[in-house]
Coordinates of all heavy atoms in Angstrom, one line a residue:
F57 N -5.8 -1.9 5.9 CA -5.2 -0.6 6.4 C -6.3 0.3 6.9 O -6.2 1.1 7.8 CB -4.4 0.1 5.4 CG -3.2 -0.7 4.9 CD1 -3.2 -1.4 3.8 CD2 -2.0 -0.7 5.7 CE1 -2.1 -2.2 3.3 CE2 -0.9 -1.5 5.3 CZ -1.0 -2.2 4.1
E106 N 3.9 -7.2 0.4 CA 4.4 -7.8 1.6 C 5.9 -8.4 1.3 O 6.7 -8.2 2.2 CB 3.5 -9.0 2.0 CG 3.8 -9.6 3.2 CD 3.0 -9.1 4.4 OE1 1.9 -8.7 4.2 OE2 3.6 -9.2 5.5
V109 N 8.4 -5.3 1.0 CA 8.6 -4.5 2.2 C 9.2 -5.4 3.4 O 10.0 -4.9 4.2 CB 7.3 -3.8 2.6 CG1 7.5 -3.1 4.0 CG2 6.9 -2.8 1.5
R110 N 8.8 -6.6 3.4 CA 9.2 -7.4 4.6 C 10.3 -8.5 4.3 O 11.0 -8.9 5.2 CB 8.0 -8.1 5.2 CG 7.0 -7.1 5.7 CD 5.8 -7.8 6.5 NE 6.3 -8.3 7.7 CZ 6.4 -9.5 8.1 NH1 5.9 -10.5 7.3 NH2 6.8 -9.9 9.3
L119 N 15.6 -1.9 5.7 CA 15.0 -2.4 7.0 C 16.0 -2.3 8.1 O 15.6 -2.6 9.3 CB 14.6 -3.8 6.8 CG 13.9 -4.2 5.5 CD1 13.6 -5.7 5.5 CD2 12.7 -3.4 5.3
W122 N 15.0 -0.4 11.5 CA 13.6 -0.7 12.0 C 13.8 -1.3 13.4 O 14.8 -1.8 13.8 CB 12.9 -1.7 11.1 CG 12.4 -1.0 9.9 CD1 12.8 0.2 9.4 CD2 11.5 -1.6 8.9 NE1 12.1 0.4 8.2 CE2 11.4 -0.7 7.9 CE3 10.9 -2.8 8.8 CZ2 10.6 -0.9 6.8 CZ3 10.1 -3.0 7.7 CH2 9.9 -2.1 6.7
Q123 N 12.7 -1.1 14.2 CA 12.7 -1.7 15.6 C 13.0 -3.2 15.5 O 12.7 -3.9 14.6 CB 11.3 -1.5 16.2 CG 10.9 0.0 16.3 CD 9.5 0.2 16.8 OE1 8.8 -0.8 17.0 NE2 9.1 1.4 17.0
N125 N 11.7 -5.6 16.9 CA 10.5 -6.6 16.8 C 9.8 -6.5 15.5 O 8.8 -7.2 15.3 CB 9.6 -6.3 18.0 CG 8.8 -5.0 17.8 OD1 9.3 -4.1 17.1 ND2 7.6 -5.0 18.3
W126 N 10.4 -5.8 14.5 CA 9.6 -5.7 13.2 C 9.3 -7.0 12.6 O 8.3 -7.1 11.9 CB 10.3 -4.7 12.3 CG 11.5 -5.2 11.6 CD1 12.8 -5.0 11.9 CD2 11.5 -5.9 10.3 NE1 13.6 -5.7 11.0 CE2 12.8 -6.2 10.0 CE3 10.5 -6.4 9.5 CZ2 13.2 -6.9 8.9 CZ3 10.8 -7.1 8.4 CH2 12.1 -7.4 8.1
P127 N 10.2 -8.0 12.6 CA 9.8 -9.3 11.9 C 8.5 -9.9 12.5 O 7.8 -10.7 11.8 CB 11.0 -10.2 12.2 CG 12.1 -9.3 12.4 CD 11.5 -8.1 13.2
N128 N 8.1 -9.5 13.7 CA 6.9 -10.0 14.3 C 5.6 -9.3 13.8 O 4.5 -9.7 14.1 CB 7.0 -10.0 15.8 CG 8.1 -10.8 16.3 OD1 8.5 -11.8 15.7 ND2 8.7 -10.4 17.4
L129 N 5.8 -8.2 13.2 CA 4.7 -7.3 12.7 C 4.3 -7.7 11.3 O 5.1 -7.9 10.5 CB 5.1 -5.9 12.8 CG 5.4 -5.3 14.2 CD1 6.0 -3.9 14.1 CD2 4.3 -5.4 15.2
N130 N 3.0 -7.6 11.1 CA 2.5 -7.7 9.7 C 2.6 -6.3 9.0 O 3.0 -5.4 9.6 CB 1.1 -8.2 9.6 CG 0.1 -7.3 10.3 OD1 0.3 -6.1 10.5 ND2 -1.1 -7.8 10.6
I131 N 2.3 -6.3 7.7 CA 2.5 -5.1 6.9 C 1.6 -3.9 7.5 O 2.1 -2.8 7.5 CB 2.1 -5.3 5.5 CG1 2.5 -4.1 4.6 CG2 0.7 -5.7 5.3 CD1 4.0 -4.1 4.3
V132 N 0.5 -4.2 8.1 CA -0.4 -3.1 8.7 C 0.4 -2.6 9.9 O 0.4 -1.3 10.0 CB -1.8 -3.7 9.0 CG1 -2.6 -2.6 9.7 CG2 -2.5 -4.2 7.8
G133 N 0.9 -3.4 10.7 CA 1.6 -3.0 11.9 C 2.8 -2.1 11.5 O 3.1 -1.1 12.2
L134 N 3.6 -2.6 10.5 CA 4.7 -1.8 10.1 C 4.4 -0.4 9.6 O 5.1 0.6 9.9 CB 5.5 -2.6 9.0 CG 6.2 -3.8 9.4 CD1 6.7 -4.6 8.2 CD2 7.3 -3.5 10.3
M135 N 3.3 -0.3 8.8 CA 2.9 0.9 8.3 C 2.4 1.9 9.3 O 2.2 3.1 9.0 CB 1.9 0.7 7.1 CG 2.5 0.1 5.9 SD 3.8 1.0 5.1 CE 2.9 2.3 4.4
Q136 N 2.1 1.4 10.5 CA 1.7 2.3 11.6 C 2.9 2.9 12.3 O 2.7 3.9 13.1 CB 0.8 1.6 12.6 CG -0.5 1.2 12.0 CD -1.4 0.3 12.8 OE1 -0.9 -0.2 13.9 NE2 -2.6 0.1 12.5
I137 N 4.1 2.4 12.1 CA 5.3 3.0 12.7 C 5.9 3.9 11.7 O 6.3 3.5 10.6 CB 6.3 1.8 13.1 CG1 5.6 0.9 14.0 CG2 7.6 2.4 13.6 CD1 6.3 -0.4 14.2
L138 N 6.1 5.2 12.1 CA 6.5 6.2 11.2 C 7.8 5.9 10.5 O 7.9 6.0 9.3 CB 6.6 7.6 11.9 CG 7.1 8.7 11.1 CD1 6.1 9.0 9.9 CD2 7.2 10.0 11.9
S139 N 8.8 5.4 11.2 CA 10.1 5.1 10.6 C 10.0 4.0 9.6 O 10.6 4.0 8.5 CB 11.2 4.8 11.7 OG 10.8 3.6 12.4
C140 N 9.2 3.0 9.9 CA 9.0 1.9 9.0 C 8.2 2.3 7.7 O 8.6 2.0 6.6 CB 8.2 0.7 9.6 SG 9.1 -0.1 11.0
R141 N 7.2 3.2 7.9 CA 6.4 3.7 6.8 C 7.3 4.5 5.9 O 7.3 4.4 4.7 CB 5.2 4.5 7.3 CG 4.3 5.0 6.2 CD 3.0 5.6 6.7 NE 3.3 6.7 7.6 CZ 2.9 6.7 8.9 NH1 2.3 5.7 9.5 NH2 3.2 7.8 9.7
R142 N 8.1 5.4 6.5 CA 9.0 6.2 5.6 C 10.0 5.3 4.8 O 10.2 5.6 3.6 CB 9.9 7.1 6.5 CG 9.1 8.3 7.0 CD 10.1 9.2 7.8 NE 9.4 10.3 8.4 CZ 9.7 10.9 9.5 NH1 10.8 10.5 10.2 NH2 9.0 11.9 10.0
A144 N 9.6 2.1 4.0 CA 8.8 1.4 3.0 C 8.5 2.3 1.8 O 8.5 1.8 0.6 CB 7.5 0.9 3.6

Side-chain angles (χ1 to χ4, degrees):
F57 299 100
E106 185 98 29
V109 173
R110 296 188 72 243
L119 316 180
W122 288 10
Q123 298 174 357
N125 71 332
W126 78 263
N128 301 326
L129 298 173
N130 64 18
I131 190 77
V132 176
L134 288 172
M135 292 300 287
Q136 291 173 350
I137 300 169
L138 181 59
S139 61
C140 294
R141 185 172 56 245
R142 283 183 185 151

